[in-house]
Amino acid sequence: MSAGVGALRRALDNRHLLGALFLIPAAAFLLLFLTYPLGLGVYLGFTDAKIGRAGAWIGLENFISIWDDEIVRLALFNTFFYTVVASVIKFALGLWLALLLNQRLPLKSVVRAVVLLPFIVPTALSAIAFWWIYDSQFSIISWALMKLGVIDQYIEFLGEPWHARLATIAANIWRGVPFVAICLLAGLQTISPSYYEAASLDGATGWQQLRHVTLPLLAPITAVVMTFSVLFTFTDFQLIYVLTRGGPLNATHLMATLSFQRAIPGGYLGEGAAIATAMVPFLLGAIMFSYFGLQRRAWQQGGADR
Amino acid sequence: MSEGTSARSELRVAAGAQAMDYLVTMPRRVVTVYLPLGVFLFVLLFPFYWMVMTALKPNEELLSHEGNPFWVHSPTLVHVKKLLFDTAYPDWLWNTLLVSVVATFLSLVASVLAAYAIERLRFRGARYVGMSIFLAYLVPPSILFIPLAAVVYRLQLFDTRLALILTYPTFLIPFCTWLLMGYLRSIPFELEECALIDGASRLQILGKIILPLAVPGLISAGIFAFTLSWNEFIYALTFISSSEVKTVPIGVITELVEGDVYHWGPLMAGALFGSLPVVLLYSLFVEYYVSGMTGAVKE
């Protein structure tokens, strides 16, 4: 009896065995609900599965048909436009906000905490506020612009293709800037003030300091933050679903919302899965970018190449 | 003389960045710092202000073009009353809370064990497992929801809270494990070595040394995981169809929007009450939340 307990204790002190044991819960979740569905998703893309009916293998048929599909092409364009425009602006504004927050400020910690609010609240719910702000009859923006005499009729924020694209991008930027700013701020705080002292003694202007001191030292964390930002933006769903459901005239459909529409309300699981699978190469690109960003960072900090 | 002043003023401009900003004059600071910061704060916070105003306005005021729309003239709680008593909103709040708490708890348990195994036990292949956890962290729900729907259907979990409780850990575990790995790395190895020499078993070390020291990391991961679950949208939208098992974001979007007539008051009240719990939690643990968010990016 006691020999058995002793053996068990010895076994539990074996790193490899205990390590494997400790990994079981996480591995079970991730294999069943992440790895398996990931594979299943790719497989479904090659079938004509519908809701409640397992499909048959149809080879590349889905991929060929979505390649010829005008709406899918439009969604791909929208996704790129949305991602590129929103990410660039999020980075610029986020960096600016981070630099502002890095100054001596009264109530600094309160300001910093408040700034992150758009990122904290459920996107679907803040999107409702934007929906109301963008309302075609009662928009507060239109009201204010009318009073200021800038426009003479209410703006169709979500009713017109290009307006809707820009309006959804604005909402996405609103939500994403705090994330970028707070992460970059964390990076800024690790930069030693002595660099700036040295630079200013050498006569560098504020812009030169930003360009030649801040940005290079911030590059590693910028690479990672922007990779995440691009990843989230590229696969965005909630904001579009709440604000426009992809309309008007599919002008705001992203790959994610289109694959949802085809697969769940439409019932064409296979086609939806093919559209979702088509996003994978782009995601891999972003991940590679992140990986090399991380590696460069490790190297800069004197870590060994891995 | 004039040369000296211009050199000094140049130096003053140069110092604008950070370290020597006490040299910068007040009017300049107003233009370069306070004004832009004020605009940022206004834009970032205005939607919340607008939510509150809309939720408190009576319908006549909401749908009128007269008067100043930025203020409520006769505030009313009629929208809140409608939300709480005429809709399933209390059920949605309860579901969201239940699903978020249970999913967060399950994920934390699985993540602590996994992070300890990867970071401290250093078993064979630990590095590759750590790497694949990071990759799992990068898999977005919007490419998983279709096959997951098939899995959930096959497990006969469709339209149940359990479907959400079991699927949320797919994005919570990678995040929490990654965060906790970084956290465990900061706990000195020597503590564990001392305990091993004193004859403590690995389980004792985990329970009596590592876990107590990792409490701040656990709080960070827990807070972040909770808000992620509270905010989750696409899985709940796909896997849930009955009103009584919906979560707040889904319930508000799918049930409070009826046809072409939008009930803006109740909608905003719903958005507001659905945001308050996470905002409250966040305000209590700001530092933990921020360190969780930046830690996950920095590691």
Side-chain angles (χ1 to χ4, degrees):
Chain A
M1 175 67 197
S2 77
V5 173
L8 182 68
R9 278 180 70 174
R10 265 198 306 286
L12 284 181
D13 270 351
N14 177 312
R15 303 188 289 131
H16 304 291
L17 196 70
L18 193 66
L21 213 60
F22 276 4
L23 272 182
I24 288 175
F29 265 113
L30 294 182
L31 289 176
L32 182 57
F33 292 111
L34 194 128
T35 316
Y36 169 64
L38 203 57
L40 183 65
V42 177
Y43 167 77
L44 281 175
F46 291 95
T47 68
D48 58 356
K50 296 212 173 66
I51 283 189
R53 194 199 73 175
W57 180 270
I58 54 167
L60 285 172
E61 215 168 282
N62 282 327
F63 291 94
I64 292 167
S65 84
I66 64 171
W67 179 248
D68 288 332
D69 189 328
E70 286 299 324
I71 297 174
V72 175
R73 286 186 180 198
L74 185 62
L76 190 62
F77 164 78
N78 290 337
T79 310
F80 271 101
F81 184 75
Y82 185 80
T83 308
V84 171
V85 174
S87 300
V88 169
I89 298 178
K90 271 190 273 193
F91 173 66
L93 291 179
L95 179 63
W96 190 12
L97 184 55
L99 289 169
L100 291 174
L101 291 174
N102 201 28
Q103 306 267 346
R104 272 184 319 115
L105 293 171
L107 295 174
K108 189 169 177 167
S109 57
V110 177
V111 173
R112 214 187 48 181
V114 161
V115 155
L116 204 54
L117 278 179
F119 188 71
I120 308 295
V121 303
T123 310
L125 301 183
S126 54
I128 295 178
F130 272 92
W131 197 17
W132 175 228
I133 288 173
Y134 290 150
D135 189 82
S136 58
Q137 290 174 59
F138 300 102
S139 164
I140 186 71
I141 301 178
S142 293
W143 183 88
L145 291 176
M146 285 271 272
K147 286 286 170 199
L148 291 172
V150 180
I151 52 171
D152 49 17
Q153 65 176 45
Y154 273 50
I155 301 172
E156 283 279 345
F157 282 104
L158 299 175
E160 224 237 298
W162 278 101
H163 286 180
R165 280 193 190 109
L166 296 177
T168 48
I169 287 175
N172 181 282
I173 291 170
W174 175 83
R175 192 194 116 83
V177 162
F179 169 75
V180 176
I182 297 298
C183 289
L184 290 183
L185 178 64
L188 282 178
Q189 283 164 346
T190 64
I191 300 178
S192 157
S194 54
Y195 288 111
Y196 296 105
E197 279 165 28
S200 60
L201 285 177
D202 287 346
T205 63
W207 278 110
Q208 285 172 328
Q209 291 184 20
L210 178 67
R211 170 74 189 76
H212 297 288
V213 178
T214 310
L215 285 182
L217 287 171
L218 217 53
I221 196 166
T222 305
V224 183
V225 171
M226 289 319 292
T227 309
F228 278 106
S229 180
V230 166
L231 216 64
F232 295 148
T233 317
F234 195 87
T235 58
D236 199 6
F237 175 85
Q238 321 193 18
L239 204 60
I240 300 294
Y241 186 83
V242 174
L243 281 177
T244 64
R245 305 255 159 126
L249 304 172
N250 303 311
T252 56
H253 251 314
L254 303 181
M255 296 293 270
T257 52
L258 188 64
S259 86
F260 177 85
Q261 199 203 24
R262 296 274 167 95
I264 308 298
Y268 294 98
L269 280 185
E271 202 182 317
I275 295 174
T277 305
M279 301 194 330
V280 172
F282 303 107
L283 296 176
L284 282 179
I287 291 167
M288 295 303 281
F289 185 74
S290 160
Y291 179 71
F292 289 116
L294 283 170
Q295 231 183 12
R296 203 169 115 203
R297 177 189 168 79
W299 175 77
Q300 277 181 337
Q301 292 182 335
D305 273 336
R306 279 187 283 174
Chain B
M1 168 66 196
S2 73
E3 225 181 284
T5 359
S6 85
R8 206 176 307 146
S9 74
E10 236 177 71
L11 188 68
R12 203 177 287 166
V13 173
Q18 278 143 328
M20 285 176 272
D21 61 348
Y22 54 85
L23 290 174
V24 179
T25 54
M26 198 54 201
R28 192 184 154 82
R29 257 182 89 74
V30 168
V31 175
T32 58
V33 179
Y34 295 120
L35 189 71
L37 196 60
V39 173
F40 267 115
L41 284 179
F42 175 77
V43 174
L44 290 177
L45 297 182
F46 180 76
F48 299 114
Y49 172 79
W50 201 228
M51 257 187 209
V52 176
M53 288 297 121
T54 310
L56 294 176
K57 277 183 189 175
N59 273 330
E60 313 84 78
E61 248 181 81
L62 276 179
L63 304 180
S64 129
H65 287 279
E66 307 304 316
N68 179 4
F70 285 98
W71 194 244
V72 200
H73 302 284
S74 40
T76 168
L77 287 177
V78 60
H79 301 311
V80 180
K81 185 172 164 257
K82 178 178 172 182
L83 184 76
L84 294 182
F85 296 103
D86 299 345
T87 68
Y89 197 78
D91 289 343
W92 304 336
L93 268 178
W94 167 243
N95 292 332
T96 320
L97 187 68
L98 183 77
V99 167
S100 303
V101 168
V102 178
T104 302
F105 177 75
L106 288 179
S107 307
L108 273 185
V109 172
S111 303
V112 167
L113 293 176
Y116 182 72
I118 295 167
E119 197 54 47
R120 279 309 164 89
L121 294 175
R122 296 238 158 242
F123 59 90
R124 222 169 281 131
R127 253 195 54 200
Y128 299 101
V129 176
M131 200 93 98
S132 48
I133 292 274
F134 181 67
L135 289 180
Y137 178 31
L138 297 175
V139 176
S142 25
I143 65 171
L144 274 185
F145 72 94
I146 295 173
L148 258 183
V151 173
V152 163
Y153 198 77
R154 212 171 307 157
L155 293 173
Q156 299 187 331
L157 293 175
F158 217 77
D159 210 11
T160 63
R161 294 180 197 93
L162 194 59
L164 304 183
I165 289 172
L166 291 179
T167 49
Y168 285 4
T170 55
F171 55 87
L172 299 181
I173 289 178
F175 171 80
C176 293
T177 307
W178 188 248
L179 191 72
L180 289 170
M181 277 165 64
Y183 204 85
L184 292 184
R185 221 171 291 148
S186 69
I187 298 175
F189 254 113
E190 289 78 3
L191 288 174
E192 256 180 284
E193 280 166 4
C194 287
L196 276 176
I197 291 168
D198 288 347
S201 71
R202 286 283 184 180
L203 286 175
Q204 283 174 320
I205 291 175
L206 178 63
K208 295 199 173 138
I209 297 177
I210 300 295
L211 280 187
L213 284 174
V215 165
L218 286 172
I219 296 178
S220 283
I223 301 287
F224 212 95
F226 181 84
T227 52
L228 281 181
S229 330
W230 190 281
N231 299 356
E232 205 287 328
F233 189 75
I234 193 167
Y235 290 166
L237 182 68
T238 312
F239 307 153
I240 303 292
S241 58
S242 311
S243 181
E244 63 272 16
V245 278
K246 280 181 177 166
T247 60
V248 171
I250 306 308
V252 171
I253 298 295
T254 56
E255 309 232 339
L256 296 185
V257 181
E258 303 153 17
D260 287 337
V261 186
Y262 303 131
H263 304 280
W264 288 109
L267 257 176
M268 285 302 165
L272 199 62
F273 282 101
S275 307
L276 276 183
V278 272
V279 171
L280 211 66
L281 191 70
Y282 166 71
S283 64
L284 292 175
F285 296 97
V286 177
E287 292 308 320
Y288 291 101
Y289 188 91
V290 170
S291 78
M293 191 178 87
T294 54
V297 176
K298 264 158 86 183
E299 286 308 325

